[in-house]
């Protein structure tokens, strides 16, 4: 069920219907376009959309599918079905070329595998165009749509005589024409012509009495008359008789051909229905290509799950202008089936609402839809909409009364298979009353189990959606700092109307805006303020998440490198141990062999003293050669380098604590104390305990090398890419916070920012005071102020740079 009757016009489907008509080649396809309607039958919708998807595939692949001569011959077939009727030569010509197109379509599907185009291929098998009738027509009608001379022996005889007579009469007239031209009766450029089917000579009016013959016509000015000479009068009569005979023979042939066609009329009518469907599907496929539409998975249950959905008409319009539509991501399911969309005016709420309605409607009309891969289509039996002003003078209905009339229908007819769309819910009457009635209606619609999207500015509906199962808040995103709509739908949180900010931006006096806030009341202002602060905080944390993600990836890479290195070291250790073991086995084996040989020789020589001594010497040589340990030369530690340096200790000096080996760099001086950086640690030490040392001593102790600023390369592109104008230091200690501020200011000054935002929180104001006092030491700072009360107030410092 659809409601109201003007649903197509309100959603804009009537414009898509017109585009489809223009894309059709013939009235056959246009008739199908006229019959498009929303279907409540799941199987039928699936079939219609699949047909379109198959034709889209045919056109994308670029196969040789017919693209012309989609001629509507159904009216000819109706006449041909009547006994005694005959079709004209032109009508048979149309039938011939259109039947050829049908046969080419059928041949295309015959040559394809059945699984390539299952639905269209199966339908093509039911279409029959008998070769007997196409051959019969081809024997009579040639490729130019003329009756062939060979259509009958009588026609061939008549045409031969006709050609002969025409040649004879032309010869006679040429002779008469030359004579008249030489007599000066006609001009040199005059030639023979035809009047009333008879060949005549144009003669000047003053000489018409000089040429004997019959005057058939005269020119508009009366200066020329067209005379049929008496010498060719009989010949012209003969030609005219032959033409009558030719016409009678052609009619007889066409009557006979029509009779041959008559038994095939039922099959041909079905074939032309197939041709019209092909034209219609080609139009739908062409429209789908223009919109970038697809055939997403289709399930027989109620839900919406779309990715990058685009309003079809807006997409086509923007495409011509070279612009892109901001896509819509939306998901409605059982526990979050009614979406309450809020946000500022002109933020895209109505377009999003119509996008939902139009895409669902066009899909259930059998069209492909402009969504991205990964989307899934659900099925609804009812679509109800309440969009626009329906006030009626005829029925004495106001705008609000018309809305309530629609709501009465919604409440009476809505069920779990219903999709409803309501724009500006509850408007048109006193806001307090309108909001209460809207809330009561929404509660009933929620109980009905229906799915829907509602646009509203009412806070009570946002609150209801937050605490009621089945409802979910959504917001059209808005740049709160630049006060510009982003046209992006974000589901899960309510949106602010930004009424006060927009009023200030367009120049409404601040006093008026402030007075309006007072009249509105603190509860509503605080709610709107909370929404804006949450939006800013969300963007800040989004930036932090990006930073954390980068660090996590770096950490993961370092961990992978460490694991790989550890595995390599362990493997190398195992290899070395294995090699040592293998070498030891070899040595032991050799030693055992040598010992056995030694014992054998001693036994054989019966322990002769000299021989025994010689064998023992050889055994000792083997031990010294193979088992002697190699010496490892270890590098002696370098002596400590300590070169004192004269002069005063100033920031940047390298120093050593007297009596200790720790060496560091002086960061700053505070009276008799110095702030010293030793490695990653900072410490405050009395000046009289420090000794100034040279750069060489510092490098030898730390391995660091001080680089002059002018010699250090700075990747400005990388810094600009990673820099954020917003610094969040809540929860930081004083010294840590000031270090962050210094680094933040250095980058901002280098990149040329003129305004910064530092979030320190309110609390007792200690961190705020510390930060602002520190910032006053920067000559580049021209001023500081609290953030706007709606965006953090005293908890945020806005820093203005020169």
């Amino acid at each position: 069920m659809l409601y109201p009757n003007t649903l197509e016009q309100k959603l804009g489907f009537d414009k898509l219907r017109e585009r489809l008509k223009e894309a059709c080649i013939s009235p056959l396809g246009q008739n199908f376009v006229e019959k498009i309607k929303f279907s409540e039958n799941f199987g039928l919708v699936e079939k219609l959309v699949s047909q379109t998807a198959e034709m889209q595939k045919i056109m994308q692949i670029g196969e040789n599918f017919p693209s012309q001569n989609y001629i509507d011959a159904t009216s000819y077939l109706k006449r041909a079905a009547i006994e005694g009727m005959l079709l004209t030569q032109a009508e048979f010509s149309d039938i011939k070329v259109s039947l050829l197109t049908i046969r080419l379509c059928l041949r295309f599907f015959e040559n394809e595998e059945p699984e390539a185009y299952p639905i269209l291929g199966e339908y093509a098998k039911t279409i029959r165009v008998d070769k007997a009738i196409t051959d019969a027509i081809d024997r009579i009608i040639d490729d130019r749509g003329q009756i062939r001379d060979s259509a009958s022996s009588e026609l061939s005889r008549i045409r031969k005589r006709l050609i002969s007579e025409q040649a004879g009469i032309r010869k006679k007239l040429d002779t008469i024409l030359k004579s008249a031209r030489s007599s000066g009766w006609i001009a040199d450029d005059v030639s023979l012509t035809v009047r009333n089917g008879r060949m005549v000579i144009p003669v000047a009016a003053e000489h018409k009495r000089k040429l004997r013959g019959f005057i058939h016509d005269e020119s508009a000015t009366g200066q020329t008359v067209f005379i049929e000479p008496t010498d060719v009068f009989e010949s012209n009569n003969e030609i005219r008789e032959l033409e009558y005979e030719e016409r009678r023979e052609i009619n007889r042939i066409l009557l006979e051909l029509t009779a041959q066609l008559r038994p095939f009329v039922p099959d041909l009518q079905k074939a032309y229905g197939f041709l019209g469907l092909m034209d219609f599907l080609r139009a739908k496929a062409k429209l789908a290509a223009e919109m970038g539409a697809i055939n997403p998975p289709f399930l027989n249950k109620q839900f919406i799950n779309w990715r990058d959905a685009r309003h079809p008409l807006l997409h086509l319009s923007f495409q011509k202008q070279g612009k892109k539509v901001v896509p819509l991501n939306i998901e409605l399911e059982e526990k979050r089936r009614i979406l309450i969309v809020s946000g500022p005016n002109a933020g895209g709420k109505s377009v999003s609402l119509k996008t939902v309605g139009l895409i669902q409607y066009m899909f259930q009309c059998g069209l492909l839809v402009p969504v991205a891969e990964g989307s899934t289509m659900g099925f609804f039996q009812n679509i109800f909409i309440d969009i626009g002003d329906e006030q009626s003078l005829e029925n004495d209905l106001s705008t609000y009364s018309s809305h309530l009339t629609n709501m009465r229908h919604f409440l009476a007819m809505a069920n779990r298979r219903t999709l409803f769309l309501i724009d500006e819910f509850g408007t048109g009457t006193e806001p307090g009353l309108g909001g209460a009635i809207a809330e009561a209606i929404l509660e009933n619609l929620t109980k009905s189990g229906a799915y829907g999207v509602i646009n509203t500015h009412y806070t009570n509906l946002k609150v209801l959606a937050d605490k009621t199962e089945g409802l979910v808040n959504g917001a059209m995103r808005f740049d709160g700092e630049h006060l510009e709509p982003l046209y992006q739908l974000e589901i899960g949180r309510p949106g602010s109307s930004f009424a006060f900010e927009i009023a200030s931006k367009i120049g409404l006096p601040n006093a008026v805006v402030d007075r309006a806030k007072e009249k509105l009341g603190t509860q509503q202002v605080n709610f709107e303020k909370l929404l804006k602060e949450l939006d800013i905080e969300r963007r800040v944390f989004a930036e932090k998440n990006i930073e954390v993600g980068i660090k996590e990836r770096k950490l993961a890479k370092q961990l992978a490198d460490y694991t790989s290195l550890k595995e390599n070291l362990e493997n190398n250790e195992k290899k070395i141990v294995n090699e040592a073991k293998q070498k030891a086995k070899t040595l032991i084996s050799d030693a055992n062999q040598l010992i056995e040989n030694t014992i054998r020789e001693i036994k054989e020589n019966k322990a002769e003293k000299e021989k025994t001594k010689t064998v023992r010497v050889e055994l000792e040589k083997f031990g010294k050669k193979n088992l002697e340990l190699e010496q490892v030369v270890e590098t002696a530690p370098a002596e400590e380098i300590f070169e004192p340096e004269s002069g005063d200790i100033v920031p940047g000096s390298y120093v050593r604590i007297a009596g200790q080996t720790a060496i560091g760099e002086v960061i700053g001086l505070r009276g008799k104390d110095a702030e010293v950086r030793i490695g990653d640690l900072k410490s405050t030490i009395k000046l009289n305990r420090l000794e100034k040392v040279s750069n060489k001593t510092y490098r030898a102790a730390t391995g660091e090398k001080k680089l002059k600023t002018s010699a250090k390369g700075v990747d400005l592109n990388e810094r600009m890419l990673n820099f954020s104008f917003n610094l969040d230091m809540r929860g930081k200690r004083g010294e840590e916070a000031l270090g962050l501020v210094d680094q933040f200011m250095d980058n901002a000054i280098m990149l040329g920012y003129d305004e910064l935002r530092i979030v320190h929180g309110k609390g007792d104001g200690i961190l705020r005071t510390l930060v602002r006092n520190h910032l006053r030491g920067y000559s580049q700072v021209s001023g500081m102020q609290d953030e706007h009360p709606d965006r953090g107030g005293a908890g945020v410092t806005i820093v203005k740079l020169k």
Side-chain angles (χ1 to χ4, degrees), residues 260-390:
Q260 288 180 268
L261 176 72
R262 192 167 293 119
F264 301 98
V265 165
D267 287 342
L268 293 180
Q269 286 177 331
K270 187 175 180 181
Y272 278 98
F274 171 77
L275 184 64
L277 178 63
M278 295 301 102
D279 186 20
F280 174 54
L281 292 178
R282 288 183 76 260
K284 290 202 291 184
K286 286 173 63 177
L287 181 63
E290 292 175 6
M291 296 188 299
I294 65 170
N295 177 23
F298 183 37
L299 302 179
N300 190 8
K301 63 179 183 178
Q302 289 66 54
F303 71 96
I304 288 178
N305 185 6
W306 302 343
R307 299 288 176 269
D308 291 344
R310 303 173 302 281
H311 189 285
L313 295 174
L314 198 59
H315 177 81
L316 293 171
S317 175
F318 276 24
Q319 199 173 46
K320 290 182 179 179
Q321 303 172 35
K323 298 190 295 184
K324 290 186 177 180
V325 176
V326 178
L328 173 72
N329 293 319
I330 182 170
E331 183 174 358
L332 300 181
E333 43 88 20
E334 178 66 26
K335 294 183 179 179
R336 292 153 56 105
R337 60 182 179 274
I338 300 178
L339 176 63
I340 310 299
V341 182
S342 49
N345 288 323
K349 297 193 301 297
S350 295
V351 172
S352 297
L353 188 82
K354 290 182 179 179
T355 300
V356 173
L358 183 53
I359 287 180
Q360 189 66 44
Y361 185 84
M362 63 189 291
F363 188 82
Q364 290 192 228
C365 285
L367 276 69
L368 304 186
V369 288
V371 297
E373 296 291 344
S375 303
T376 310
M377 297 298 299
F379 176 67
F380 295 93
Q381 287 188 335
N382 308 314
I383 296 182
F384 302 155
I385 68 169
D386 179 32
I387 300 174
D389 186 356
E390 289 291 336

Side-chain angles (χ1 to χ4, degrees), residues 382-553:
N382 308 314
I383 296 182
F384 302 155
I385 68 169
D386 179 32
I387 300 174
D389 186 356
E390 289 291 336
Q391 62 178 330
S392 170
L393 295 176
E394 182 178 332
N395 296 323
D396 196 24
L397 289 177
S398 67
T399 300
Y400 187 62
S401 297
S402 69
H403 286 314
L404 290 182
T405 301
N406 291 339
M407 292 306 101
R408 181 185 64 188
H409 181 87
F410 285 18
L411 294 173
M413 306 302 295
N415 56 36
R416 299 181 65 84
R417 291 177 170 268
T418 298
L419 174 66
F420 65 86
L421 308 170
I422 304 175
D423 195 21
E424 300 297 344
F425 195 28
T427 57
T429 188
E430 196 275 320
L433 298 176
I437 294 175
E439 185 172 343
I441 292 172
L442 180 55
E443 288 174 346
N444 276 273
L445 288 174
T446 306
K447 293 177 183 177
S448 72
Y451 290 68
V453 180
I454 296 174
N455 291 343
T456 186
H457 290 286
Y458 286 136
T459 302
N460 63 315
L461 299 184
K462 304 177 192 177
V463 174
L464 179 66
D466 194 47
K467 63 183 182 181
T468 305
E469 183 176 348
L471 303 181
V472 60
N473 271 307
M476 298 307 299
R477 291 191 59 196
F478 193 80
D479 189 341
E481 295 185 14
H482 300 93
L483 298 180
E484 294 177 349
L486 301 176
Y487 306 109
Q488 296 174 348
L489 175 63
E490 184 175 355
I491 297 178
R493 68 176 187 87
S496 170
S497 297
F498 286 90
F500 294 136
E501 287 75 13
I502 294 173
S504 298
K505 182 180 180 181
I506 64 176
L508 208 63
N510 291 335
V512 174
V513 176
D514 293 339
R515 181 62 178 156
K517 291 180 181 178
E518 294 175 6
K519 289 181 174 295
L520 182 61
T522 58
Q523 182 179 359
Q524 178 67 26
V525 172
N526 289 338
F527 183 79
E528 294 289 326
K529 175 183 175 183
L530 178 61
L531 289 177
K532 290 189 285 289
E533 289 181 352
L534 286 174
D535 184 63
I536 293 173
E537 291 295 323
R538 184 189 57 77
R539 287 191 288 110
V540 170
F541 281 110
E543 294 177 0
K544 293 293 183 185
N545 285 337
I546 294 173
E547 294 177 7
V548 170
I550 294 172
K551 291 179 180 178
E552 285 181 349
R553 287 193 294 273

Side-chain angles (χ1 to χ4, degrees), residues 36 141 212 227 334 342 611 642 654:
I36 290 178
I141 308 295
R212 293 178 60 192
I227 300 176
E334 178 66 26
S342 49
K611 188 64 177 176
F642 176 66
Y654 297 120

Side-chain angles (χ1 to χ4, degrees), residues 229-271:
T230 54
D231 293 346
V232 297
F233 190 77
E234 289 298 327
S235 296
N236 267 331
N237 285 343
E238 182 68 21
I239 290 174
R240 179 59 63 88
E241 285 293 331
L242 289 172
E243 288 175 347
Y244 290 153
E245 287 183 31
E246 180 188 32
R247 192 177 305 165
R248 287 192 296 270
E249 180 62 17
I250 288 175
N251 285 343
R252 187 194 66 78
I253 293 171
L254 292 177
L255 186 63
E256 186 178 297
L257 184 59
T258 304
Q260 288 180 268
L261 176 72
R262 192 167 293 119
F264 301 98
V265 165
D267 287 342
L268 293 180
Q269 286 177 331
K270 187 175 180 181

Side-chain angles (χ1 to χ4, degrees), residues 527-715:
F527 183 79
E528 294 289 326
K529 175 183 175 183
L530 178 61
L531 289 177
K532 290 189 285 289
E533 289 181 352
L534 286 174
D535 184 63
I536 293 173
E537 291 295 323
R538 184 189 57 77
R539 287 191 288 110
V540 170
F541 281 110
E543 294 177 0
K544 293 293 183 185
N545 285 337
I546 294 173
E547 294 177 7
V548 170
I550 294 172
K551 291 179 180 178
E552 285 181 349
R553 287 193 294 273
K554 288 182 178 178
L555 180 60
K557 185 177 183 303
Q558 291 175 351
L559 181 60
D561 292 343
Y562 167 76
T563 303
S564 176
L565 180 61
K566 182 173 178 290
E567 290 176 355
N568 288 335
L569 290 174
E570 290 176 350
N571 290 335
N572 288 336
E573 182 182 4
K574 290 176 182 178
K575 288 179 182 178
I576 292 170
V577 171
N578 289 337
E579 289 175 0
K581 289 179 178 178
Q582 186 63 40
K583 191 171 184 180
K585 286 180 181 179
T586 304
L587 288 173
I588 291 171
S589 176
D590 293 344
N592 289 336
Q593 185 66 37
L594 182 60
I595 291 169
E596 289 175 1
N597 292 337
T598 301
I599 293 171
R600 188 175 65 253
E601 288 185 14
I602 290 173
K603 288 180 177 180
E604 289 175 355
N605 292 288
K606 298 180 179 179
E608 292 181 6
K609 186 175 180 181
E610 288 300 325
K611 188 64 177 176
T612 301
K613 185 177 180 181
T614 303
V615 172
R616 284 178 176 173
V617 169
E618 291 179 358
L619 187 61
E620 288 175 359
K621 286 182 180 179
F622 175 82
K624 288 181 180 179
K625 180 180 178 182
N626 293 287
L627 300 177
E628 187 176 359
L629 298 176
E630 296 182 3
Q631 291 185 352
V632 178
V633 180
E634 295 184 359
T635 305
E639 294 183 2
E640 180 182 354
I641 300 174
F642 176 66
E643 293 183 0
E645 190 171 300
S646 60
D648 296 332
I649 296 175
V650 296
S653 297
Y654 297 120
V655 296
R656 183 175 77 163
I657 302 174
Q660 298 184 19
T661 59
I663 294 177
E665 180 184 3
V666 176
I667 298 175
L669 299 177
R670 297 179 183 175
K672 295 182 180 181
D673 296 333
E675 186 177 2
V676 181
R677 178 179 67 83
I678 302 174
D680 292 331
L681 301 177
K682 294 180 183 178
S683 180
T684 302
I685 306 171
K686 295 291 184 182
L687 278 171
N688 55 15
R689 293 185 56 200
L690 300 175
E691 297 176 343
K692 190 173 182 181
V693 299
S694 65
N695 290 352
K696 182 179 179 182
T697 303
Y698 178 78
R699 289 197 301 271
T702 64
E704 296 181 7
K705 184 177 180 182
K706 185 175 181 180
L707 298 176
K708 294 182 180 179
T709 304
S710 60
K712 185 177 181 181
V714 178
D715 191 342

